[in-house]
Amino acid sequence: MLIAHYEHRLPADYDLGIIRHRAAQRRKLWDDTPGLFFKAFLLREPGRFGAAAGSYSSLYLWQSQQAFVGFVSTRFRSVTDSFGRPQIQTRFALDARRGQGSVARFAYRQDIDIPRDADLAAVLAAEAAHNERAAGQPVVVAAAVGVDVERWRLTRVLLSEGELAAGPGAVAYQVLYLAQPLLGELPR
């Protein structure tokens, strides 16, 4: 599995109604995408949930590298035509689970550096166990944790029905829509 996330910063005076309309217009295109566990259309609104500036982003959990490459080589053009070519942050998923929640309203992303002297096997096992516990919270719709092996960094992702205390340095997003073609296939 692969976690992918990219973000577009928006000018201070940008009409966020345009972003809301774009998400509403495009969301159904993702509801039956092969190889996709979920795609979250995300918004950071200045002054809400700690956001100093506005941004629009997409967060994906892909079933395989091939599904992700298929997206980048075909459907990604609508992104580049509208916003330019963003840097896509990718992580190998260590663990991903669905929760008991049903409607994602918030997304949280927390990046954690892995200390240079850490036992990698122990860190990765502990993160998978942490993710399983996080997914067990009643309001969680999905939880995933991935690793960036270039920077040796972990990325925790939580999608939830309500606000959570997601941890130090976590970034909160509003979920405009969650497409979830294969979410039901993830373990609980």
Side-chain angles (χ1 to χ4, degrees):
M1 290 182 290
L2 187 75
I3 299 168
H5 183 219
Y6 54 86
E7 192 160 1
H8 312 285
R9 293 182 187 264
L10 301 172
D13 61 348
Y14 196 85
D15 178 3
L16 296 180
I18 295 169
I19 297 301
R20 287 186 175 90
H21 177 74
R22 179 181 175 89
Q25 185 178 39
R26 301 192 55 76
R27 65 191 202 171
K28 295 295 181 188
L29 300 173
W30 293 93
D31 285 337
D32 60 356
T33 301
L36 180 65
F37 288 109
F38 65 75
K39 174 187 177 168
F41 292 79
L42 305 176
L43 176 67
R44 293 208 70 202
E45 202 170 337
R48 296 195 67 196
F49 309 107
S55 70
Y56 171 58
S57 64
S58 294
L59 174 67
Y60 305 82
L61 179 61
W62 293 99
Q63 193 172 37
S64 67
Q65 172 186 326
Q66 291 79 14
F68 172 69
V69 170
F71 156 67
V72 170
S73 64
T74 57
R75 297 174 78 175
F76 194 60
R77 182 168 185 153
S78 69
V79 174
T80 59
D81 286 351
S82 298
F83 297 99
R85 189 182 298 172
Q87 176 187 4
I88 303 175
Q89 297 178 23
T90 57
R91 306 288 187 262
F92 296 106
L94 301 173
D95 190 67
R97 298 180 179 273
R98 64 187 163 122
Q100 298 172 17
S102 57
V103 179
R105 291 186 177 91
F106 298 93
Y108 299 90
R109 176 184 166 155
Q110 181 184 23
D111 292 316
I112 303 164
D113 290 329
I114 301 171
R116 293 181 64 106
D117 59 348
D119 177 333
L120 287 176
V123 167
L124 300 181
E127 278 303 311
H130 177 274
N131 192 65
E132 184 174 357
R133 289 188 304 276
Q137 298 175 72
V139 297
V140 170
V141 175
V145 62
V147 63
D148 173 352
V149 294
E150 181 179 345
R151 292 183 186 87
W152 293 108
R153 180 177 294 160
L154 298 163
T155 298
R156 294 175 177 169
V157 172
L158 285 174
L159 302 176
S160 72
E161 293 180 332
E163 294 182 50
L164 295 173
V171 177
Y173 299 85
Q174 297 171 57
V175 177
L176 300 176
Y177 183 71
L178 180 66
Q180 44 190 312
L182 300 176
L183 183 64
E185 294 184 15
L186 291 176
R188 280 197 192 265

